[in-house]
Amino acid sequence: MSDEVDECSLIPAPENLLGLRIASIFIILVGSSSGALFPVLARRTTWLHVPKALFDFAKYFGSGIIIATSFIHLLSPALDELGSPCLGEGWTVYPYALALCMLSIFGIFIIELVAFRWGTAKLKKLGIGYDPHGHDPGSHAAHGPELDGTSVQDKGKS
């Protein structure tokens, strides 16, 4: 019998932090609920008015934080675990953690694209136009007071 220890047979003992694990569920529930409900309340109440530019900035900044956090906390351990010598030989041929990450990002992109197209089609059926590029009159990229579709020059001629 050899004195060498096989690292693949060692299973670390779990730390007993049951109280903190249960508390973390409620902390995450309260934090995520408040983060998800704030934009809804800010949109529907007059006393909690947030400018649209700040609202959009916070939305995109928050999305970036979530993506960066997932990369930092999930990608590195995934690379370590899926590159473990305890796995079969096929797992060491290719960095599967990076492939799964890329596949996930591609899946999110496809879901967002399909949801955007579906939502735009639904709005069109309801008679509500949505211009993603800002070319419609009155949109954020319009070049003046074009709310009713007539230009300032046309109003001066009548």
Side-chain angles (χ1 to χ4, degrees):
M1 201 166 183
S2 82
D3 290 335
E4 293 181 22
V5 177
D6 182 19
E7 73 178 62
C8 295
S9 65
L10 294 177
I11 300 173
E15 296 178 26
N16 191 7
L17 302 173
L18 185 62
L20 286 176
R21 291 175 190 222
I22 292 173
S24 70
I25 292 171
F26 294 104
I27 292 169
I28 291 171
L29 176 68
V30 169
S32 61
S33 294
S34 62
L37 289 175
F38 178 77
V40 175
L41 294 175
R43 213 32 108 169
R44 294 184 180 208
T45 61
T46 56
W47 60 270
L48 190 60
H49 179 71
V50 177
K52 182 162 175 30
L54 181 63
F55 188 79
D56 287 341
F57 173 77
K59 180 172 56 173
Y60 296 127
F61 184 76
S63 297
I65 292 295
I66 291 169
I67 292 169
T69 302
S70 67
F71 276 129
I72 289 171
H73 291 289
L74 298 175
L75 192 57
S76 179
L79 286 168
D80 292 341
E81 295 299 325
L82 290 176
S84 171
C86 298
L87 294 175
E89 193 174 310
W91 288 98
T92 59
V93 175
Y94 186 79
Y96 285 102
L98 298 175
L100 291 172
C101 178
M102 184 180 66
L103 185 64
S104 299
I105 292 171
F106 184 69
I108 290 170
F109 174 74
I110 294 296
I111 290 169
E112 183 180 358
L113 180 68
V114 169
F116 179 77
R117 297 273 174 109
W118 178 78
T120 304
K122 281 289 227 189
L123 287 175
K124 191 173 185 179
K125 282 183 183 177
L126 293 172
I128 302 170
Y130 178 74
D131 181 21
H133 300 294
H135 298 293
D136 283 345
S139 66
H140 71 281
H143 300 291
E146 304 163 351
L147 295 176
D148 61 356
T150 59
S151 67
V152 175
Q153 289 84 9
D154 292 341
K155 287 184 179 183
K157 293 178 183 176
S158 55

